[in-house]
Amino acid sequence: MFTKKYFPIFKNSNIPNLITTLGLLFGIAACYFLTEGDFRWTLICLSLAMLMDFFDGFFAGKLNSHTSFGKSLDSLVDFFVCCIMPVLMVYIFVGSYPILIAAVAFYCICGLWRLAHYNSIVTTEGKRTYFTGLPVPAAALLATMAMWAVLYHNFHIWFLAAAFITSGFLMVSFLKLEKYGLWQKIFLAIGGGFWIVIVAF
């Protein structure tokens, strides 16, 4: 009662929103390791932040806790974790090549537009719910995997630029993906395997 009276904003303290906030904390931890020049731990924390984005939506559906506050909170955290952080990682760990500057700028703009527009548009057909365009965390996963390939396996920076541009186009495309469908399970499996490789090596 005290909290709701003097800090009414905390009436939104449900499980999905707390999970989203935990994702932000992982993002802040990733930012710390970024400033320390530690790519491995930056990527580990960033991966955990992306995972929180899946779980907050999952629990919001299970607990029927979808709110406008939760949508806004999720979008703000996604923009920081999945748009800003990958861009900063490119500058810190790869370099400020002109082609990469153009690619990450395009990626960030597409991510911003998707979060502002498509993130609130979920089409329903029968009992199935669909996303329009690739969700931002999935795009960030593709981009960070490409960055890992450049840094650890000597892929050319053009590969990384292409990954950011492709991810950007996919986010704002007409691509229709079923919410919690097979594609999402595949991305979770890929992301989980990628995380294990990062931790192990």
Side-chain angles (χ1 to χ4, degrees):
M1 182 64 70
F2 175 84
T3 301
K4 290 184 178 181
K5 181 178 180 180
Y6 294 102
F7 304 98
I9 197 169
F10 291 119
K11 67 182 180 181
N12 298 291
S13 300
N14 56 31
I15 290 175
N17 291 340
L18 292 176
I19 293 173
T20 303
T21 305
L22 180 59
L24 173 64
L25 293 178
F26 280 126
I28 293 171
C31 196
Y32 166 76
F33 287 114
L34 176 69
T35 61
E36 293 292 306
D38 191 330
F39 179 78
R40 180 169 173 265
W41 275 100
T42 300
L43 211 49
I44 288 172
C45 292
L46 202 62
S47 299
L48 290 171
M50 292 177 193
L51 186 63
M52 294 304 103
D53 183 73
F54 169 80
F55 281 119
D56 63 8
F58 176 80
F59 280 105
K62 289 292 183 181
L63 301 173
N64 195 25
S65 300
H66 290 290
T67 63
S68 57
F69 177 89
K71 284 184 179 181
S72 298
L73 184 68
D74 184 67
S75 292
L76 289 168
V77 173
D78 277 354
F79 186 67
F80 169 64
V81 169
C82 301
C83 295
I84 299 298
M85 282 300 297
V87 170
L88 293 176
M89 289 168 69
V90 167
Y91 291 148
I92 297 295
F93 296 119
V94 183
S96 54
Y97 299 96
I99 183 61
L100 285 181
I101 293 174
V104 298
F106 175 77
Y107 168 87
C108 204
I109 291 168
C110 289
L112 176 66
W113 276 64
R114 189 197 186 284
L115 288 169
H117 182 65
Y118 289 111
N119 197 48
S120 63
I121 298 178
V122 180
T123 56
T124 303
E125 294 182 6
K127 294 183 178 180
R128 295 184 177 181
T129 306
Y130 294 87
F131 289 116
T132 301
L134 186 68
V136 175
L141 174 62
L142 295 177
T144 51
M145 287 177 68
M147 202 182 315
W148 176 77
V150 169
L151 293 173
Y152 284 84
H153 298 282
N154 298 316
F155 278 57
H156 199 276
I157 60 167
W158 281 92
F159 174 77
L160 180 56
F164 270 99
I165 291 170
T166 302
S167 298
F169 273 121
L170 289 174
M171 284 190 285
V172 296
S173 71
F174 60 86
L175 192 66
K176 189 167 69 173
L177 298 166
E178 184 181 354
K179 193 173 183 180
Y180 305 121
L182 178 61
W183 73 273
Q184 206 162 24
K185 295 180 177 66
I186 291 172
F187 264 87
L188 281 172
I190 293 172
F194 182 48
W195 192 83
I196 290 170
V197 169
I198 297 166
V199 171
F201 300 100

